[in-house]
Amino acid sequence: STPVLSVDIPSGWNVDQGDIFHTQFYPAAVISLTTPKLCMRNFTGWHYVGGRFLPPKLASELHINVPQYKKGTSDQFIRLDTSTCGEEGTVV
């Protein structure tokens, strides 16, 4: 089968609970925009976070856990360790 990359949330998934409609759609990789969504907690494929859309001060005020990009870079995406996506979203 052809590997699929989903953007933000896999098609047909509930943003908080994942594949509650039993679509059986499991992409090979997902790139979450800004921060991982709750539905990604049990995802076992490659998981990336992309986009620096929130200023750090606003993310802090709203208590949004945005992964830390390497200082001094203009990186726009990072790969996460999928074993911790329900927790802190550890950068690989």
Side-chain angles (χ1 to χ4, degrees), residues 18 46 52 54 69 75:
W46 287 28
R52 295 182 178 200
L54 287 178
Y69 293 88
D75 292 351

Side-chain angles (χ1 to χ4, degrees), residues 7-8 30-36 47-55 66-80 91:
V7 176
D8 208 29
V30 173
I31 184 161
S32 294
L33 301 178
T34 304
T35 191
H47 191 186
Y48 297 85
V49 173
R52 295 182 178 200
F53 304 114
L54 287 178
V66 178
Q68 299 297 306
Y69 293 88
K70 292 179 185 173
K71 292 185 187 251
T73 71
S74 60
D75 292 351
Q76 293 298 310
F77 68 94
I78 54 174
R79 193 175 112 199
L80 299 179
V91 177

Side-chain angles (χ1 to χ4, degrees), residues 15-37:
V15 68
D16 293 325
Q17 300 172 354
D19 189 23
I20 62 171
F21 302 110
H22 309 289
T23 65
Q24 300 300 308
F25 174 65
Y26 300 103
V30 173
I31 184 161
S32 294
L33 301 178
T34 304
T35 191
K37 310 310 182 274

Side-chain angles (χ1 to χ4, degrees), residues 2 4 17-18 24 28 32 56 83 87:
T2 303
V4 174
Q17 300 172 354
Q24 300 300 308
S32 294
S83 68
E87 301 164 17

